[in-house]
């Protein structure tokens, strides 16, 4: 279904009704003003997460004569891009076994590494203080035996030519300061950071021909020629429109049966005192992902000595997380924290928050030109710092006709497969999450 000539009213705006712990660590910032009045632009980018920011930056560099307007419903750094666990992922998690799956995994690897390199360049060039730490990543199991999932992960890294170390309980305990994990795989390429600081920094250093308006939700779209988008205090007419709203795009025609909106939750402790750090052996900062992405917990020990727990995935078709939804996760996070660090009973959480993510049925992103002068990069599939960055830059190259071999890698990832309509979809997603929680119950 072509999106051209469609008019759409946006029903659900993204809402995370809680304080993002990463933003809370940063100094107060002056948000850019909401858009007011009637505006014209060559390009309108809707959504200032990694995808929208990367698109706006690259497009503006490719076409310095064009005016780019970037709008976001909320505040920069307070979206999922600023609320995540801060792992800049460098290699895909699974490879599969067929030739086609190996090819896709290698495409992903090239893309993720290009996204990471792009971010590193920007962080260095603009001196973005986001605690960029090239610390690698642990994938660790709670069960002692080499489970099929851990074996498959090790095999995937081997196939992709990624160096890794297999670690037993003792080696893990020395490096992590917890003896909770029995088996781990360490790979060196992942970067750890404060995602709110990164997102803010990327927004602060956009080229001069990009105008950013925060707290400016797109409320109505008219995909005409030019397209028109209405916001609370104004409107924009633009020759080209880019949809970079991740799961919120499910409200637009042609997206609904391809995207699944989910949420996940995180808690961050206060910094450990020097004495508390000694209790866990004073390790270096580290990041760990679980064997089961749905049931398990992502854990970080940050450079400033805080512990992050990210756990629980819920279906969120209306893109809304109320305070109560988050508070329900806090006691579970507390249990997970104390199971790993029983010697830190006196360490409290400072903040617990939610964030919206988006999945597709087959893991393919929704990316490319979806109508005349309409482009999109959504469907992050749970990881987006490097992935949505490279998706944004390659989309800008595609849209401005710049030759970039990574465009072919993006196209080779395919398109999302179709989903049944709601409420059948809701039942299916909830059944899938229940199944994953059950299968992963020993890896919590
Ligand atoms: C708790 C948590 C932990 C995670 N951990 C990691 C991790 O460690 N590593 C990793 O790579 N990824 C992680 N992710 C996923 C990552 O955050 C996402 O993949 C990434 O943010 C997607 O980027 P995006 O630009 O596509 O979308 P988003 O960051 O969601 O940006 C979309 C933007 O669109 C805006 N928007 C929506 N509707 C409208 C509208 N109508 N008008 C205007 N603007 C609108 C939103 O406000 C938002 O700013 C995690 C996510 C969460 C929630």
């Amino acid at each position: 279904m072509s999106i051209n000539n469609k008019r759409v009213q946006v029903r659900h705006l993204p809402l995370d009704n809680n304080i993002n712990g990463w933003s809370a660590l940063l100094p107060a910032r002056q948000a850019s003003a909401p858009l007011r009045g009637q505006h014209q632009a060559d390009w309108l980018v809707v959504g200032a997460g990694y995808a929208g920011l990367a698109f706006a930056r690259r497009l503006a560099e490719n076409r310095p004569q064009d005016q780019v307007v970037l709008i976001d419903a909320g505040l920069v750094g307070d979206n999922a891009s600023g609320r995540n666990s801060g792992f800049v992922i460098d290699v895909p998690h699974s490879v599969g076994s067929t030739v086609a799956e190996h090819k896709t995994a290698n495409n992903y690897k090239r893309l993720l590494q290009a996204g990471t390199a792009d971010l590193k360049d920007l962080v260095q060039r603009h001196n973005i203080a986001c605690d960029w730490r090239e610390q690698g990543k642990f994938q660790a199991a709670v069960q002692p035996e080499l489970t099929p999932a851990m074996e498959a992960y090790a095999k995937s890294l081997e196939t992709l030519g990624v160096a890794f170390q297999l670690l037993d309980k003792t080696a893990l305990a020395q490096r992590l300061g917890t003896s909770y994990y029995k088996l781990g795989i360490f790979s060196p390429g992942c970067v750890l950071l404060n995602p709110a600081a990164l997102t803010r920094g990327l927004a602060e250093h956009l080229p001069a021909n990009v105008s950013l308006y925060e707290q400016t939700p797109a409320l109505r779209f008219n995909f005409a020629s030019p397209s028109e988008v209405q916001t609370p205090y104004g409107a924009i007419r633009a020759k080209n429109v880019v949809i970079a709203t991740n799961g919120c795009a499910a409200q637009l025609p042609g997206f609904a049966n391809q995207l699944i909106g989910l949420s996940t939750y995180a808690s961050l402790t206060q910094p450990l005192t020097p004495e508390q750090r000694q209790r866990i052996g004073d390790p270096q900062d580290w990041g760990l992902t679980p064997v089961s992405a749905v049931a398990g917990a992502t854990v970080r020990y940050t450079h400033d000595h805080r512990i992050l727990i990210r756990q629980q995935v819920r279906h969120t078709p209306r893109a809304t997380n109320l305070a109560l939804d988050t508070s329900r996760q806090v006691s579970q996070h507390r249990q997970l924290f104390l199971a790993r660090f029983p010697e830190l009973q006196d360490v409290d959480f400072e903040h617990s928050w939610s964030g919206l993510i988006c999945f597709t049925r087959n893991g393919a992103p929704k990316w490319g030109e979806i109508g005349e002068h309409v482009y999109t990069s959504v469907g992050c599939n749970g990881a987006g710092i490097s992935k949505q960055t490279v998706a944004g830059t390659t989309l800008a190259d595609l849209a401005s006709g710049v030759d970039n071999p990574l465009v072919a890698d993006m196209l080779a990832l395919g398109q999302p497969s179709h989903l049944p309509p709601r409420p059948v979809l809701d039942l299916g997603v909830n059944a899938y999450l229940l199944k994953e929680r059950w299968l992963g119950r020993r890896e919590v």
Side-chain angles (χ1 to χ4, degrees), residues 10 12-14 46-53 71-89 216-219 221 244-249 251 262-266 289 298 310 353-358 377-389:
V10 173
H12 306 296
L13 292 175
V46 185
Y50 296 114
L53 287 164
I71 62 171
D72 199 280
L75 296 170
V76 160
D78 252 357
N79 48 10
S81 288
R83 288 174 168 257
N84 58 58
S85 307
F87 290 67
V88 186
I89 302 288
T216 302
L219 299 178
F221 289 89
T245 54
N246 214 13
C248 292
Q251 301 167 73
L262 300 173
S263 291
T264 184
Y265 304 84
T289 51
T298 301
R310 194 273 329 142
W353 65 93
S354 55
L356 299 163
I357 46 177
C358 173
S377 177
V378 297
C380 74
N381 283 291
I385 303 181
S386 45
K387 201 200 289 177
Q388 291 302 85
T389 295

